Amino acid sequence: MRDQTLAIHAGYKKDEQGTMAVPIYQTTAYEFRDADHAANLFALKELGNIYTRLMNPTTDVFEKRFAALEGGAAGVGTASGMAAIFYAIANVAEAGDNIIVAKQVYGGTTTLTGHTIKRFGIETRYFDVNNPSELEALIDEKSKLILFESITNPSIDVPDFEAIVAIADRHGVLSCVDNTVATPILCKPLALGCDLTVHSASKYTTGQGLAIGGIIVERENLVEKIKDNARYAHFNEPDQSYHGLVYSDLPLPLFTLRARLALLRDLGAAPSPFNSWLYIQGLETLPLRMRQHSSSALAIAEFLENHPRVKKVNYPGLPSDKNYHLAQKYLRDGNSGLLSFEVEDLESAKRIANATEIFKLVVNIGDSKSIITHPASTTHQQLSAQELIDAGVPAGLIRLSVGLEDTGDLIADLKRAFEY
Ligand code: PLP
């Protein structure tokens, strides 16, 4: 089935009520048939509902539908995109290990990897996403994950997936793509050979800025890469916290299962059923919306490219953009709604951001409502001068998240703001 059909039907089997819309199972816990049923569920001899921190029928539809769109084996929902990224790391790395992360990532990912997990003893090594060959020198026997974004936020780079995957596979290291900006509609990292994707569902998934959430998706047959791989010994040895379970022996998608059974159990950032229901509503229109976001963003990028005050426009849909050929190769049906452009300096950028009326000054992306952000003074404020340069965020950079308003109105709004 194609995306537009999966987005509307995947993962939902109606119960005896026959409800067309997926119900919201707003519950904390589930009654067991008897003590043996409970014991079987806990022992994974039978799969079923135990407690909403671990699973929920509404969240289950969201996870299955999202995984189907990604072309993955399974997904596990989380309470935020940051929780999804943290769990993807925590599922493989422990004190003494390292992960390798693109320099060009969302500011929260930079602070998580550069500061917070450092305090847990996990080292982060950074590579330039535009130069994957840097990875070779960074990987050693303690490297557990290579993490990068499919369209980087806010520098709007598109990585060379094939080059990164080839190096990751040669060393037997898991690759993980934050596919938030591209969404599974415009980019299919798992089909490109990546092992995992993570998402902030807070963005295009809800599509209207309605809720905070995230998801991790794993590819089919991931066990082949993890089984007997010394890097991932904890997937191959008995888990003492789960009465000796060996994840790589199970006939189930093992990465998301461990994230659920160990990390959601112990760390607890589970999505609320109501939020999962919102993501399901959003997914139904995701393919349509991504096409519209993309075509409007391209028209705005073309307008900006011809504006005398604009030094540079970053949008991979523009033939002049350095990522155009990679985008043509790895993205499909559009280049998403995110673009950035550079004006003279910090003060000019602030003045423009203050002057737009339809573009609202907000730190978010992927909303139906258009958004203007000045990263250097907001999302990336905590980054040092060097980190700002590494993340591709000059002081005069403005980021736009192009919404679903009329494209002509949006261009007129920017035109006015430049004259202000
Ligand atoms: N990944 C990307 C690319 C993002 O842009 C964001 C948030 O802006 C996140 C992850 C974090 O997601 P959340 O805000 O849902 O925690």
Side-chain angles (χ1 to χ4, degrees):
M1 270 188 271
R2 303 233 171 134
D3 283 352
Q4 186 58 60
T5 310
L6 293 172
I8 293 176
H9 294 291
Y12 179 45
K13 281 204 195 73
K14 294 181 189 66
D15 63 15
E16 66 276 10
Q17 306 296 337
T19 49
M20 281 295 281
V22 177
I24 307 172
Y25 287 91
Q26 192 67 47
T27 183
T28 301
Y30 309 85
E31 186 181 356
F32 307 119
R33 286 194 303 274
D34 53 34
D36 284 342
H37 178 222
N40 283 343
L41 292 180
F42 274 87
L44 296 181
K45 289 185 185 151
E46 232 179 285
L47 296 180
N49 297 318
I50 298 174
Y51 191 65
T52 283
R53 174 151 37 79
L54 300 173
M55 72 283 281
N56 173 277
T58 310
T59 300
D60 184 59
V61 176
F62 162 58
E63 292 167 341
K64 289 201 164 84
R65 192 165 292 184
F66 206 102
L69 286 169
E70 280 280 38
V76 57
T78 55
S80 68
M82 287 317 301
I85 296 169
F86 176 58
Y87 285 4
I89 297 167
N91 215 14
V92 287
E94 61 185 23
D97 290 338
N98 65 73
I99 61 166
I100 307 178
V101 179
K103 285 175 186 163
Q104 301 87 345
V105 284
Y106 165 61
T109 306
T110 304
T111 48
L112 169 70
T113 55
H115 301 278
T116 301
I117 64 168
K118 197 168 163 186
R119 304 194 65 229
F120 298 175
I122 301 169
E123 179 198 345
T124 302
R125 301 170 178 182
Y126 292 98
F127 76 106
D128 180 354
V129 83
N130 299 309
N131 188 6
S133 63
E134 285 185 11
L135 283 168
E136 285 288 358
L138 298 174
I139 296 173
D140 63 21
E141 75 282 1
K142 291 288 189 184
S143 303
K144 297 298 165 85
L145 195 72
I146 297 172
L147 174 66
F148 59 103
E149 296 178 356
S150 48
I151 298 179
T152 66
N153 176 14
S155 62
I156 331 283
D157 288 307
V158 178
D160 187 343
F161 287 83
E162 269 173 24
I164 296 174
V165 166
I167 298 171
D169 285 352
R170 194 158 53 246
H171 292 272
V173 181
L174 295 180
S175 54
C176 178
V177 178
D178 182 335
N179 200 22
T180 300
V181 176
T183 79
I185 307 305
L186 306 182
C187 184
K188 306 271 186 206
L190 305 181
L192 296 170
C194 301
D195 298 312
L196 302 160
T197 61
V198 286
H199 287 261
S200 167
S202 328
K203 316 297 178 192
Y204 289 110
T205 304
T206 78
Q208 297 173 31
L210 297 175
I212 297 287
I215 188 164
I216 305 174
V217 180
E218 76 178 278
R219 73 166 163 88
E220 299 282 354
N221 303 320
L222 186 60
V223 66
E224 288 166 2
K225 192 162 179 181
I226 289 179
K227 183 93 181 156
D228 300 329
N229 183 340
R231 278 187 204 283
Y232 305 108
H234 60 300
F235 278 92
N236 289 296
E237 290 165 357
D239 179 352
Q240 298 310 338
S241 81
Y242 217 98
H243 48 67
L245 187 79
V246 178
Y247 285 96
S248 64
D249 285 348
L250 296 173
L252 295 167
L254 74 176
F255 192 93
T256 43
L257 186 71
R258 188 176 184 281
R260 187 183 302 287
L261 296 184
L263 302 180
L264 283 181
R265 177 193 63 187
D266 299 344
L267 303 175
S272 91
F274 180 70
N275 285 358
S276 295
W277 182 81
L278 290 173
Y279 310 141
I280 291 166
Q281 309 318 302
L283 285 179
E284 289 199 357
T285 56
L286 185 64
L288 299 173
R289 287 187 286 107
M290 290 319 292
R291 279 199 283 278
Q292 181 59 40
H293 281 293
S294 299
S295 73
S296 239
L298 179 59
I300 289 170
E302 284 165 352
F303 158 75
L304 289 168
E305 194 174 37
N306 291 312
H307 198 283
R309 284 195 50 206
V310 174
K311 285 163 62 179
K312 190 174 175 223
V313 183
N314 302 305
Y315 189 66
L318 288 177
S320 59
D321 189 272
K322 74 175 189 325
N323 292 294
Y324 179 74
H325 293 290
L326 288 168
Q328 292 288 304
K329 184 168 175 188
Y330 295 122
L331 306 182
R332 17 182 278 173
D333 275 353
N335 299 272
S336 194
L338 204 62
L339 62 92
S340 62
F341 64 99
E342 213 182 319
V343 292
E344 304 87 2
D345 50 32
L346 184 112
E347 282 314 312
S348 310
K350 278 186 169 169
R351 249 196 327 274
I352 292 166
N354 284 339
T356 53
E357 285 173 12
I358 303 175
F359 280 92
K360 306 294 184 202
L361 190 56
V362 171
V363 284
N364 193 18
I365 58 168
D367 196 321
S368 55
K369 300 165 274 298
S370 288
I371 289 169
I372 189 164
T373 310
H374 180 226
S377 63
T378 54
T379 47
H380 287 63
Q381 191 196 68
Q382 280 99 347
L383 271 56
S384 68
Q386 188 56 47
E387 284 173 332
L388 279 176
I389 293 166
D390 288 344
V393 185
L397 191 82
I398 292 175
R399 185 187 68 193
L400 299 180
S401 170
V402 177
L404 299 176
E405 302 93 339
D406 179 81
T407 316
D409 287 342
L410 292 175
I411 292 176
D413 193 35
L414 290 169
K415 221 182 247 172
R416 250 194 326 268
F418 275 114
E419 285 156 14
Y420 197 67

